């Protein structure tokens, strides 16, 4: 399992600069965890978001992600890293594998002052590109195999009211995935890492969950929040159990 939670994009000390921005859709929208809040371009080729950590600073990352977009499967989508704001031949240059909903790219740990998400989608039939959220940072790896003890549920956000005569009035919602995972044998280090993560994001900030990074076709990546977090149970000496529920958000 991998948990992408420490998103450097949200650091107010770092600067996000877009190649182009449509009116009312600036790059800062990418720091809003609501996917309806979007960055939009004014063109569909040679578009980019550059992240600058500032003089004397670097951002260390092992993963990048793009959530909610209108990019087509013919697009060239990259995450790049470099010591300077020059992109002719960057030190790190990785291409995303396209997905219609959520794309994640893993790479060897690297630290740069400048990072760039680049987009070229000449075949896009819309007049702009849009992205709801991006992630750049490291991830929490949990080596315990969670697939032995988790449940998947589809939640319906529809709201229905009933009249005194039994008539139903509904505001149709959407279906959302939810995973309830029990980690039965966490080591002390894994417990400490979980506590660090939860202390930072609590039930308020978004993360990306990969139940199994090798089975994303069967268990797709999930953009979510932690909906519930039980207390830690001591199973044996320095071995712990905890239940965590991850709820999809839009």
């Amino acid at each position: 399992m991998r948990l992408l939670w420490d998103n450097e994009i949200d650091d107010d000390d770092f600067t996000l600069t877009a190649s182009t921005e449509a009116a009312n859709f600036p790059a800062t929208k990418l720091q809003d965890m609501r996917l309806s809040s979007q960055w939009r371009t004014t063109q569909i080729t040679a578009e980019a978001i550059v992240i600058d950590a500032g003089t004397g600073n670097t951002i260390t990352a092992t993963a990048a992600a793009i959530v909610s977009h209108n990019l087509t499967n013919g697009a060239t989508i990259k995450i790049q890293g470099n010591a300077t704001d020059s992109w002719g031949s960057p030190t790190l240059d990785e291409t995303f594998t396209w997905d219609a909903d959520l794309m994640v790219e893993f790479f060897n740990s690297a630290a740069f002052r400048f990072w760039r998400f680049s987009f070229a989608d000449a075949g896009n039939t819309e007049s702009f590109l849009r992205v709801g959220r991006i992630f750049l940072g490291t991830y929490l790896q949990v080596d315990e195999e969670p697939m032995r003890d988790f449940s998947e549920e589809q939640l319906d956000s529809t709201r229905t009211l009933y009249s005194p005569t039994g008539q139903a009035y509904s505001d149709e919602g959407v279906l959302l995935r939810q995973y309830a995972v029990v980690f039965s044998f966490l080591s002390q280090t894994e417990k400490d890492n979980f506590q660090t993560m939860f202390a930072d994001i609590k039930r308020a900030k978004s993360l990306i969950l990969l139940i199994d990074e090798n089975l994303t076709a069967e268990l797709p990546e999930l953009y979510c929040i932690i909906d519930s977090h039980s207390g830690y149970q001591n199973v044996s000496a320095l071995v712990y159990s905890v239940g965590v529920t991850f709820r999809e958000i839009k």
Side-chain angles (χ1 to χ4, degrees), residues 37-52:
S37 176
Q38 300 176 339
W39 164 58
R40 290 190 183 183
T41 69
T42 61
Q43 303 176 42
I44 58 175
T45 60
E47 295 299 307
I49 290 286
V50 174
I51 304 98
D52 180 4

Side-chain angles (χ1 to χ4, degrees), residues 129-145:
L129 305 181
R130 59 173 173 81
V131 178
R133 190 84 159 111
I134 56 176
F135 173 92
L136 178 69
T138 56
Y139 58 87
L140 172 59
Q141 178 80 44
V142 182
D143 291 329
E144 179 191 350
E145 177 56 74

Side-chain angles (χ1 to χ4, degrees), residues 193-203 226 229 232:
N193 289 339
F194 257 93
Q195 287 182 310
T196 297
M197 176 185 71
F198 192 63
D200 184 85
I201 67 174
K202 304 179 179 67
R203 293 189 295 118
I226 292 177
H229 183 291
Y232 295 94

Side-chain angles (χ1 to χ4, degrees), residues 201-226:
I201 67 174
K202 304 179 179 67
R203 293 189 295 118
K205 297 180 182 179
S206 63
L207 71 153
I208 297 171
L209 167 70
L210 287 82
I211 287 283
D212 190 320
E213 62 272 18
N214 298 311
L215 293 173
T216 54
E218 295 81 6
L219 297 167
E221 302 92 336
L222 188 71
Y223 180 67
C224 60
I225 59 170
I226 292 177

Side-chain angles (χ1 to χ4, degrees), residues 59 78-95 107-116:
I59 296 172
K78 292 189 173 187
I79 177 64
Q80 300 169 311
N82 210 31
T84 62
D85 191 10
S86 177
W87 305 103
S89 182
T91 303
L92 184 141
D93 190 0
E94 299 285 339
T95 301
F107 43 86
N108 293 331
S109 181
F112 300 104
R113 173 180 170 178
F114 294 96
W115 290 83
R116 185 173 83 148

